[in-house]
Structure formats: C-alpha cells, structure tokens
C-alpha cells in the first residue's frame, strides 16, 4: 500500500506525528489501521460543520417541543400568554409570512 500526500497534507501529518512523538510514517500507519478497524472514522471539515448544525437544530427542536408542551399543559393559562399551542400557531399564521425569521449563525 502506498500513501501519498501533497505538501499541505504532509505538513499536517508531520505536525500531528510530532505532537505524539512519532515519525510521520508511523503516525500515518496507525491512523490507517484505526480506520481499517473502524476505530476512527474520518470526517471531512464540511461533514463536521453539517453535523454541528444538525446537533444545534436538534437542540432547538427539543426547546420548541418543550415550549409547545408547556403551552398545551392542563395548568391554568398564565396571564398574557395564549391558552394553547393551537392558538400560537393560529396567531402566527394570521401574522403572515413575516413572522418567520432565520436565527443568526
């Protein structure tokens, strides 16, 4: 098996190997074995960004579901708040498309 790296990749391998006190060849070999044994799954930078966004979206979804459940609880309505999630959705739909705003990143 032959491994080849461009100059930028080789520099990354050298730096990583140096941090662990290994030769670049030994470090690269260890990484290859980890991938082959499914101990290490290589992820591209783009895929990492997508995964972070998905985790953030999941957190926001959980917060939204929690808020909706609180709105539909059998407790008496709090002064100034709608009585149910249906009321919230109805008010949002009546407000038109301008009520939806993207969250800043």
């Amino acid at each position: 098996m032959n491994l080849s790296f461009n100059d930028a990749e080789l520099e990354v391998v050298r730096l990583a190997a140096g941090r662990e006190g290994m030769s670049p060849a030994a470090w690269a070999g260890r990484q290859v074995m980890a991938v082959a044994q499914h101990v290490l799954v290589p992820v591209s930078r783009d895929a990492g960004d997508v995964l972070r966004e998905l985790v953030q979206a999941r957190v926001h979804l959980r917060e939204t579901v929690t808020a909706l459940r609180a709105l539909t609880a059998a407790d008496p309505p709090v002064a100034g708040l709608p009585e149910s999630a249906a009321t919230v959705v109805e008010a949002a739909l009546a407000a038109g498309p301008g009520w939806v705003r993207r969250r800043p990143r």
Side-chain angles (χ1 to χ4, degrees):
M1 169 190 205
N2 290 328
L3 293 176
S4 61
F5 302 103
N6 65 31
D7 291 339
E9 293 168 336
L10 184 56
E11 185 59 26
V12 169
V13 170
R14 284 183 180 142
L15 289 172
R19 279 194 307 266
E20 296 186 31
M22 301 175 74
S23 72
W27 185 88
R30 187 176 71 179
Q31 301 308 310
V32 168
M33 288 303 299
V35 170
Q37 295 170 345
H38 302 288
V39 174
L40 174 68
V41 178
V43 176
S44 72
R45 179 171 292 163
D46 291 339
D49 291 342
V50 169
L51 289 173
R52 276 186 289 286
E53 287 184 27
L54 286 172
V55 168
Q56 288 174 347
R58 185 176 183 179
V59 168
H60 295 304
L61 178 60
R62 282 186 176 170
E63 290 171 353
T64 302
V65 168
T66 300
L68 287 173
R69 284 185 179 148
L71 288 172
T72 59
D75 298 332
V78 176
L81 293 179
E83 293 185 18
S84 69
T87 307
V88 172
V89 172
E90 188 176 310
L93 291 174
W99 71 275
V100 177
R101 291 183 187 24
R102 293 196 69 180
R103 292 181 68 112
R105 289 185 177 192

